[in-house]
């Protein structure tokens, strides 16, 4: 049977404006970093993507090296586009990125014009698309002139291969520089994608002020601290969890100190009538400068639980003060090197 999305998919989703642009995004967007590669059944991915769209999630975020293996998330998304979503292309915001290692040799990494534009062509081919809505520089490259990297993003728009451009994990200073270069080129910087969570608050001192002043959107990734801000680790490291496998979440991060923070935050969430994951998502969305939070999902049930966070986004001043006592950096910002240069 052909896929028919829910008729009421836009009725309950409170879309947010992306900075001062005309683009609206759902406050929760679906990211394809970890759960949509060839190591997972395509039918599981299909069920998650269909349910997300049924619930009003219109933004799907990818990158060239998402998988595993590299490229497979875009390939699988391309299959789902072709089989399920092609008729709804104009209802979707699809993004991809380039900046981390993708293929061997000197031209398959970092921020050169050659790499970024070649990668975008490859991404479009994998997804079977004529254009993406947002194309990102995935990280700042200190060895490439910023003018070259931003010029490549501008060229992607002028070639009709992207509608908007963004950056990810740039410092506040480099964000201001990038925005100025793009403004001069005539392609405004739409959005910044940094990591942000109750256990990784690096964007608060400067970057949030920068995006607010510049009128740039902010879509945060890893709002659940790679799963640490869920009920999964309340009793330690369970078998089969991300921290139990060789992934980006090292078991060394699940310390007694981190567990004490997580358990205290879970108690606050329980009093609010939320799961810890729901409160963590609501917390990153409390700031009006944050347009959207990217989630990953390994099941439809997990997706639905996360989207239910939108039912309770308000916080009392007392709740925020209590959260602040336990929400502090926990060495999980593995992307810090890009934003420190």
């Amino acid at each position: 049977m052909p896929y028919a999305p829910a008729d009421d998919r836009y009725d309950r989703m409170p879309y947010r404006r992306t900075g001062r642009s005309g683009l609206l995004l759902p406050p929760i967007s679906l990211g394809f970093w970890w759960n949509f590669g060839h190591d997972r059944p395509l039918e599981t991915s299909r069920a998650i993507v269909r349910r997300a769209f049924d619930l009003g999630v219109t933004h799907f975020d990818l990158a060239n090296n998402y998988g595993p293996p590299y490229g497979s998330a875009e390939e699988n998304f391309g299959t789902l586009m072709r089989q399920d979503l092609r008729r709804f292309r104009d209802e979707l915001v699809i993004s991809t990125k380039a900046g981390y290692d993708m293929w061997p040799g000197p031209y398959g990494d970092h921020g050169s014009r050659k790499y970024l534009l070649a990668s975008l062509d490859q991404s479009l081919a994998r997804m079977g698309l004529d254009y993406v809505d947002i194309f990102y520089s995935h990280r700042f490259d200190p060895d490439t002139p910023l003018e070259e990297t931003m010029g490549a993003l501008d060229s992607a728009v002028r070639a009709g291969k992207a509608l908007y451009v963004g950056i990810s994990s740039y410092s506040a200073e480099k964000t201001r520089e990038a925005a100025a270069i793009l403004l001069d080129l005539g392609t405004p910087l739409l959005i910044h994608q940094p990591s942000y969570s109750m256990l990784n608050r690096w964007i608060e001192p400067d970057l949030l002020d920068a995006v607010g002043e510049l009128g740039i959107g902010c879509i945060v990734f890893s709002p659940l601290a790679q799963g640490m801000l869920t009920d999964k680790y309340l009793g330690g490291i369970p078998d089969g969890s991300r921290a139990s496998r060789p992934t980006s979440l090292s078991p060394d991060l699940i310390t007694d100190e981190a567990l004490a923070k997580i358990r205290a935050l879970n108690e606050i969430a329980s009093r609010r009538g939320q799961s810890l994951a729901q409160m963590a998502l609501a917390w990153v969305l409390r700031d009006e400068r944050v347009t959207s939070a990217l989630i990953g999902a390994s099941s439809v049930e997990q997706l639905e639980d996360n989207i239910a966070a939108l039912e309770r986004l308000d916080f009392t001043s007392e709740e925020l003060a209590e959260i602040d006592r336990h929400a502090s950096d926990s060495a999980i910002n593995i992307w810090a090197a890009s934003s420190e240069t």
Side-chain angles (χ1 to χ4, degrees):
M1 290 287 292
Y3 167 59
D7 291 336
D8 62 350
R9 59 189 177 277
Y10 299 121
D11 292 349
R12 293 182 298 277
M13 184 63 71
Y15 297 91
R16 294 184 171 192
R17 187 163 302 281
T18 310
R20 289 196 290 266
S21 78
L23 185 68
L24 301 177
L25 291 179
I28 291 181
S29 300
L30 183 60
F32 281 64
W33 176 29
W34 194 254
N35 293 314
F36 295 87
H38 289 338
D39 61 332
R40 302 292 179 99
L42 180 64
E43 288 308 308
T44 301
S45 298
R46 186 192 308 276
I48 294 168
V49 169
R50 284 183 172 187
R51 185 57 178 152
F53 190 41
D54 284 344
L55 293 173
V57 174
T58 53
H59 178 30
F60 301 127
D61 180 77
L62 298 103
N64 57 358
N65 62 352
Y66 285 178
Y70 287 0
S72 61
E74 289 182 331
E75 290 172 356
N76 287 337
F77 183 74
T79 299
L80 299 180
M81 277 294 301
R82 184 174 64 255
Q83 295 179 356
D84 293 340
L85 297 173
R86 179 68 64 187
R87 291 181 297 139
F88 311 104
R89 174 64 182 96
D90 292 335
E91 298 182 36
L92 302 175
V93 173
I94 301 167
S95 60
T96 196
K97 317 175 198 72
Y100 286 95
D101 67 298
M102 183 59 190
W103 63 84
Y107 315 122
D109 200 350
H110 300 300
S112 72
R113 178 182 183 87
K114 179 172 178 61
Y115 170 51
L116 292 180
L117 295 181
S119 178
L120 177 56
D121 284 343
Q122 292 180 20
S123 291
L124 293 175
R126 281 190 289 269
M127 293 187 285
L129 299 176
D130 296 323
Y131 70 93
V132 290
D133 297 274
I134 308 170
F135 181 48
Y136 286 91
S137 166
H138 207 166
R139 62 169 168 170
F140 174 70
D141 177 7
D143 297 320
T144 298
L146 193 56
E147 291 81 2
E148 179 177 343
T149 301
M150 295 304 106
L153 297 185
D154 172 67
S155 293
V157 172
R158 294 183 184 279
K161 296 177 181 180
L163 301 185
Y164 302 94
V165 298
I167 57 177
S168 179
S169 299
Y170 278 50
S171 68
E173 177 185 0
K174 294 304 178 184
T175 296
R176 293 182 187 277
E177 292 179 20
I181 293 168
L182 285 167
L183 191 61
D184 285 343
L185 292 171
T187 298
L189 178 59
L190 173 78
I191 196 166
H192 191 299
Q193 186 177 133
S195 61
Y196 183 47
S197 73
M198 290 190 291
L199 301 180
N200 175 22
R201 302 179 65 166
W202 75 273
I203 71 173
E204 291 179 355
D206 303 301
L207 184 57
L208 280 175
D209 286 342
V211 298
E213 292 165 12
L214 294 167
I216 298 168
C218 181
I219 180 168
V220 301
F221 72 90
S222 200
L224 304 183
Q226 301 188 68
M228 288 176 66
L229 291 171
T230 68
D231 59 8
K232 188 176 297 182
Y233 298 102
L234 294 175
I237 302 176
D239 292 339
S241 65
R242 183 179 295 189
S244 70
R245 306 189 306 270
T247 68
S248 56
L249 179 58
S250 169
D252 295 339
L253 298 177
I254 315 297
T255 62
D256 290 342
E257 180 183 3
L259 287 173
K261 294 178 187 179
I262 294 166
R263 289 164 182 156
L265 292 168
N266 185 63
E267 291 179 7
I268 302 170
S270 296
R271 295 199 297 269
R272 285 171 49 84
Q274 291 181 307
S275 68
L276 176 55
Q278 289 168 345
M279 186 181 77
L281 289 166
W283 184 86
V284 298
L285 291 168
R286 78 197 186 286
D287 193 307
E288 62 183 10
R289 294 168 294 187
V290 175
T291 312
S292 185
L294 278 165
I295 63 167
S298 59
S299 68
V300 169
E301 293 74 22
Q302 187 180 67
L303 171 81
E304 292 173 339
D305 181 74
N306 287 346
I307 292 177
L310 301 179
E311 297 171 6
R312 178 77 194 280
L313 294 178
D314 60 300
F315 288 88
T316 67
S317 57
E318 292 78 13
E319 285 174 331
L320 290 174
E322 187 177 5
I323 288 170
D324 278 342
R325 289 198 291 272
H326 307 287
S328 59
D329 285 349
S330 299
I332 65 166
N333 187 4
I334 61 174
W335 311 272
S338 176
S339 56
E340 290 172 352
T341 50

